[in-house]
Structure formats: C-alpha cells, structure tokens
Amino acid sequence: MPFDECSYLKCQTVPQMMKFAWDNYKRYAWGKNELRPLTRNGHIGNMFGGLRGASIIDSLDTLYIMGLMDEYNDAREWVQTSLDLNSDLPLGNSVVGSLAHRSAAAHANQAHVPSKSGLSLTAVFAMSVEHSTNGETSIKHRQQCCTVKQNTYKNGEASLFEVNIRYVGGLLSAYYLTGEEVFKTKVMELGEKLLPAFNTPTGIPRGVINLGSGTSWSWGWASAGSSILAEFGTLHLEFVHLSELSRNPIYTEKVMNIRKLLNKIEKPHGLYPNFLSPVSGNWVQHHVSIGGLGDSFYEYLIKSFLMSDKTDDDAKKMYYGALEAIEANLVQKSPGGLTYMAEWRGGILDHKMGHLACFSGGMIGIGADDGAPEKRQHYLDLAAEITHTCHESYARSATKLGPEAFRFDGGGEATATRLSDRYYILRPEVIESYMYMWRLTHDPKYREWGWEAVEALEQHCRVESGFSGIRDVYTMTVSHDNMQQSFFLSETLKYLYLLFSDDDLLPLEDWVFNTEAHPLPVIRKSCLQEEATQDKTVSK
C-alpha cells in the first residue's frame, strides 16, 4: 500500500503495536523488568538493584499519551500497590562492571557471557548496554564489559544511570502528565536513595549504588575505577526536577558541582573523554565517543539549556563548545558522501559509528536555532546529513533495520563489517532523530523512513508473544534474541507515535525528553521568579 494512502493506518498502527507489546508483558511477565517473548516469561536482570517493573515504569507515559487508559490504569495501580523501593532480595547473580549509557565499554576482550540460547557473546560487542543481545543484562543504550559473580552481592546494587533515566525519569514524567500524587511520592523517595553515590572526593558519583545501604563503587571494567561521562553527565534534567518538586536544592547542587569540575579541568582539543576519576577529578583515558559511554552527556547539555527556558547559559556554552570540538575532530565525510561521527582514541580516529550515536542528528537539530546566527542553517544541515547516514545503515540491510555499529573503512560504508555488530535490539536512536527532524523541517521523507521502520519491526521483530530483537540484520532468516526491551516501550514506540502525530502533542517548546524518552516540562522563568518570591515571603 503506498505510503500516502495509509495515513489512518499509520496513526493506528503504533498504538496497536504498543498494546500488543504491553498485553504480552502483562500476561507473561507482569511485575518483572522485561518480557522474554519466545519463552513467555519475565526477565529481572541486575541493573536495577532489586527494583522491579521497569517495563511498567517505562510505559506509564507512553500508555497515557496514546490514550490506552485501561492499560495506564493497570500500570498506575501496580505503582501504587507493588513498586517496592526498599526491597532486600535473596543473594543472586550480580553483574560486576557493566556498561554505560547508551554506553558500555566495548572495552575488554575477555568477558564472555553465554546466553540462554547457547549463543556466546563477547563483551567487546556483546553486552550492548542498553542491553545485551542475550538479555542477561539489560542496560540502556550501550555496550559493555562485564563478569558475573555467583551468589556474591545482593540485588540492592543498581546502576545509578539506569535507575535515574528509567525509574526517576518515568515517575517524574507520569506525575507531570497526570498530576497523580503517587508518582511524586515514589520519585521523591527514590531520589533520596541515589544521593549517597555522590559521596566521593570530587562529588563525581560512582556508577553503582546499593539502594539499601547507600554504598557505591565504580564499574569493575571501568579504567582505574573511573566514572563514565555518559552516566554522571546524564543526571541533570531529572535532578533539577527533583529539586523543583521537593523544594530541596540538594539535587541541583549535586549536578551543578559536576559541571563546575568539568569546566575547571583541561579538555584535550576541547573534547570530553569518556572516563573520569571520581577521586582525582582527572581524565583516565583519552577515548571520546558520541556513541556509547559519551552520548547522553552532550544531549543533556543542550536539553538543560532548553529545559531552563533558555536561561542556563553555562549549559549553552558547554554544548556549543563541545559541538565545535566534535566538528573539528570527529565529524567525517565518507568517499560516498555520507557524513558520520568517528570515535577518537588519543588523536587516532576509529571510523565507526554506533547505533547509539544516531541520536545526534536529533540533538544537533533541536540545538540549531540557538546557535550563532551564521551557524544555524549549518547545524540544521549537519543534523539532516547525520540522520540520512543513519537511515542508510537501515536501508543497506536486508531487514531494513540497522546494526549495532557500522563502519566507514575497508571499502564499506554505513554497514557492519564485523559479525559481532550485526544485531538489532529494538533500539530507538534512529527513529528518535526522524521524529525531531520531522518536527523541525516537516520534510515528508522522515515520516516515510519512520513507516519503513514500522514495517520492518512488524515483519522481523514481532513474534507470537511480543517483540524481540534480532541477531543479524543482514539476513532475512532472522534469529530472535528473546528480549522485549523496556526502552522499546518507552522510546522506540513513543518516538514513532510522535512522528505520526500533530506537533501540538508534547510540543518541543514546552517539553524536553530525557534520554529514555520521558517528557519533562520546560521550567519557565516566570515560575522560577514566582517561587523565589514565595520563598522570600515564607522566610519573612
């Protein structure tokens, strides 16, 4: 059916996909973190420290926005009655050292984690942080290196980053959209449990925290006990809103302290490396990536500026300074004319781009209008070029879904040249950029590309009892990974729905999306002034 003849079908298909994914999660995995659709059971994982219901929290705003009110009410009731923020679970498997936001270190060559299906994935490509294709650790957008210890730690040990973007972000968004006090109560309680992670000599938080005891430590695979840029740099939006709701400045103070340190230390060529010591406050390695380990740090700079009603001049200066350094050192043009962002390792370029880095088209797009006047059209053009390149990574595969990473060397362009990079785990970043670029330009190609993704997801990732990632995007004989990621419900389907919706649904001038696609309202200057006046009155 031609694209322009199915507008009604487009508008209805995405909520139907969401309902199908949700219904199967509810039937087979209710209260667990994610659904395993092939084996029809739930997956708990080790990233959330004993917290449960990640798919429920990640789905609250999506269900509400799509008007799936029966499903939303079931989710709200579960939060009210079953979201336990004080769980102390039996000893079990614990992942030591894992990922980093759309991050994860394809860092070691060692960690070897067998999957349920018997497929082995090496850490180098394997644990894609936002998730591993074998589903043993599910982490937001990234790749990771980890080892598994049996019966050593309690499940109170959580990724600060993952809990913040999924649980804190999801509860904040649900509260702001609905006004339901239960979400505010829960998020305030959870926010307090994250503060001990900042108890370091520099105030840079460590990546792992025991939600019960408050003890924190760095990922075992992170170089020299370092913290990860995309993790400690992806707290600002949520923590500012925690201060807004609680009227307690401590959350904002914690994230502003991170900013102060970053502004003080030297940046190689103006770039921000991925690893920083929370003890010394110095960079540990000079590896720079706009994909895993680095990505959402940059995203939160421009979004902090936008969320502040464009008053956070420090965030603005940091963002455009970083973007200038990225353009000077990382942005490349392939022989075939594709613009991409390489990775930087101590001055040597690695000509690959991860799926995670494909969020950057949308990021540069939403920041274009506030750049220097002479650069605004340039930034919008750059955003369009990067989004085009990421679409090419989809278009050049047999399934029309993109690989985890694609390269621009050895004669290939926008294709995965390594077997270990060929998987797709329902990631949202390419579709995210389609949505932003549609909102900014209304070029119909972005909706056309989004519809291609819908058709590919339906054809290759939909199984009898949910949606699953696939192990090789270059073969039509797909092998599924048996994991319906929670971010598929929070991000991939939400961005698709917004792509096909009117611009006045969550307009970009009023809302910013955290890196898990949870919408948070812009904090208006008038609101801040009113609060300051009220505070003075109370003090008198």
Side-chain angles (χ1 to χ4, degrees), residues 60-181:
L60 282 163
D61 51 15
T62 308
L63 294 169
Y64 188 83
I65 291 162
M66 291 183 180
L68 297 171
M69 297 312 294
D70 289 342
E71 292 77 7
Y72 162 76
N73 287 330
D74 288 341
R76 179 194 58 194
E77 183 180 356
W78 184 89
V79 173
Q80 177 92 51
T81 62
S82 303
L83 177 57
D84 182 6
L85 302 180
N86 297 293
S87 54
D88 188 20
L89 302 176
L91 291 173
N93 292 354
S94 176
V95 171
V96 181
S98 130
L99 106 214
H101 179 60
R102 295 178 175 198
S103 295
H107 179 65
N109 306 352
Q110 298 98 307
H112 192 219
V113 184
S115 74
K116 296 280 185 182
S117 68
L119 176 72
S120 293
L121 304 174
T122 59
V124 143
F125 74 94
M127 315 271 13
S128 118
V129 183
E130 229 182 342
H131 329 343
S132 93
T133 59
N134 71 1
E136 282 309 306
T137 21
S138 175
I139 318 183
K140 174 157 178 83
H141 317 175
R142 32 261 163 204
Q143 296 160 309
Q144 104 196 26
C145 162
C146 68
T147 56
V148 176
K149 287 188 177 182
Q150 298 286 341
N151 301 317
T152 305
Y153 297 111
K154 291 190 177 181
N155 279 347
E157 297 150 359
S159 162
L160 172 67
F161 166 79
E162 295 294 338
V163 170
N164 178 62
I165 64 171
R166 303 200 201 204
Y167 286 85
V168 175
L171 291 167
L172 284 170
S173 176
Y175 173 68
Y176 284 122
L177 288 169
T178 71
E180 301 266 8
E181 284 293 323

Side-chain angles (χ1 to χ4, degrees), residues 21 100 148 161 166 260 309 355 404 540:
V148 176
F161 166 79
R166 303 200 201 204
K260 289 176 185 175
D309 204 12
H355 193 291
E404 180 68 7
K540 288 179 181 177

Side-chain angles (χ1 to χ4, degrees), residues 92-316:
N93 292 354
S94 176
V95 171
V96 181
S98 130
L99 106 214
H101 179 60
R102 295 178 175 198
S103 295
H107 179 65
N109 306 352
Q110 298 98 307
H112 192 219
V113 184
S115 74
K116 296 280 185 182
S117 68
L119 176 72
S120 293
L121 304 174
T122 59
V124 143
F125 74 94
M127 315 271 13
S128 118
V129 183
E130 229 182 342
H131 329 343
S132 93
T133 59
N134 71 1
E136 282 309 306
T137 21
S138 175
I139 318 183
K140 174 157 178 83
H141 317 175
R142 32 261 163 204
Q143 296 160 309
Q144 104 196 26
C145 162
C146 68
T147 56
V148 176
K149 287 188 177 182
Q150 298 286 341
N151 301 317
T152 305
Y153 297 111
K154 291 190 177 181
N155 279 347
E157 297 150 359
S159 162
L160 172 67
F161 166 79
E162 295 294 338
V163 170
N164 178 62
I165 64 171
R166 303 200 201 204
Y167 286 85
V168 175
L171 291 167
L172 284 170
S173 176
Y175 173 68
Y176 284 122
L177 288 169
T178 71
E180 301 266 8
E181 284 293 323
V182 61
F183 301 130
K184 179 179 177 180
T185 300
K186 292 288 188 181
V187 79
M188 289 290 91
E189 182 182 352
L190 181 56
E192 287 187 15
K193 291 179 176 293
L194 302 182
L195 290 173
F198 294 82
N199 294 338
T200 67
T202 60
I204 298 293
R206 293 188 170 94
V208 191
I209 182 168
N210 185 301
L211 295 176
S213 68
T215 305
S216 67
W217 61 96
S218 299
W219 295 113
W221 53 266
S223 215
S226 56
S227 294
I228 310 303
L229 181 68
E231 295 196 335
F232 66 77
T234 308
L235 303 167
H236 201 100
L237 302 183
E238 297 83 0
F239 273 50
V240 166
H241 271 292
L242 286 173
S243 279
E244 282 291 306
L245 288 184
S246 66
R247 306 298 283 274
N248 184 343
I250 189 170
Y251 300 99
T252 298
E253 290 168 359
K254 295 295 186 186
V255 291
M256 290 306 295
N257 181 66
I258 295 172
R259 283 249 196 104
K260 289 176 185 175
L261 187 144
L262 291 176
N263 278 324
K264 186 171 63 176
I265 61 177
E266 183 180 352
K267 271 75 70 178
H269 299 279
L271 297 167
Y272 291 81
N274 293 334
F275 298 96
L276 182 75
S277 168
V279 176
S280 69
N282 296 320
W283 303 115
V284 174
Q285 287 184 355
H286 284 186
H287 172 215
V288 177
S289 170
I290 311 305
L293 302 175
D295 50 8
S296 51
F297 163 72
Y298 306 97
E299 173 189 359
Y300 270 40
L301 290 178
I302 187 59
K303 288 183 176 179
S304 294
F305 172 67
L306 296 173
M307 194 180 79
S308 73
D309 204 12
K310 303 186 179 182
T311 62
D312 187 346
D313 290 332
D314 192 39
K316 179 180 182 181

Side-chain angles (χ1 to χ4, degrees), residues 9 13-14 16-18 20 399 401 426 451-463 466-467 480 488 493:
L9 175 63
T13 296
V14 181
Q16 289 170 1
M17 293 168 72
M18 180 67 187
F20 177 74
T399 59
L401 294 167
L426 308 176
W451 188 248
E452 290 171 5
V454 168
E455 293 182 317
L457 286 165
E458 287 282 89
Q459 180 178 354
H460 302 295
C461 298
R462 184 175 180 135
V463 295
F467 287 88
H480 293 100
F488 177 68
L493 293 179

